[in-house]
Amino acid sequence: MVLHATDNGVSWITLNRPEAMNAVTWDQRERIIALLGEASADPAVRAVVITATGRGFCAGADLRGTPTARTDADGERVTGDVARTIRQGAQRLVTAVLDCEKPVIAAVNGTAAGLGAHLALACDLVLAAESARFIEVFVRRGLVPDGGGAYLLPRLVGPQRAKELMFFGDALAAADAERMGLVNRVVADTELAATAKEWAERLAAGPTRALALTKHLVNASLDADRTTALAAEAWAQEINMSTRDANEGVASFVERRTPKYRGL
């Protein structure tokens, strides 16, 4: 249900339940989390792409795979079970993307709804096919957004736009998502895979540790004051200057040649 291959330094993670619009099961979620963790730890992996087969990127969580709610002696639902399920499920998946030490690209090939939208928006870069749509579907089911949606969306488009998307649950076309700043680039459906490959391989050829530190700085800055953010920036540069790639970058500049980064 999750295809995986590593090619030219890029880990390709592909959701493969097209008949279910790639709604994520518990097993799929655990596999994706594991693959992201492996990508962080493997020096041979220098970028990640998350995409899917079929017409849909991800229709959200597959609720049919959710554990049956427990009840107490009076037949009442056990308080705390839902929150625990969200923490251990959707939130862990989104956090795994945010915390991955390699740059992660979402190649959104179709509808991204609910958790599927948040999975895409947690990625560092988002490419969308022209046919892609983003839907904050929770309100249609009388639910509160989960999977980090109320954290991610306001930081991407501001609170007013985030509320509009979450209050109405309307489908957002790829072009409108790009205009709002949710998507980096919209491409023809037939060009999505090739564009994702081009971007990922460019990242894989870059200074991997510098990119990891840059990702951390940008993500952390959204919750930090200026003093904290600037201190983190200075220390990140201190750490980065101990890497081989930083030395190569400086040397190549002095020697007026193209740098050859090794990800170390």
Side-chain angles (χ1 to χ4, degrees), residues 235-254:
W235 278 108
Q237 194 68 288
E238 174 76 23
I239 294 167
N240 186 65
M241 287 305 297
S242 67
T243 66
R244 296 181 186 178
D245 280 348
N247 292 329
E248 165 65 7
V250 173
S252 66
F253 174 75
V254 173

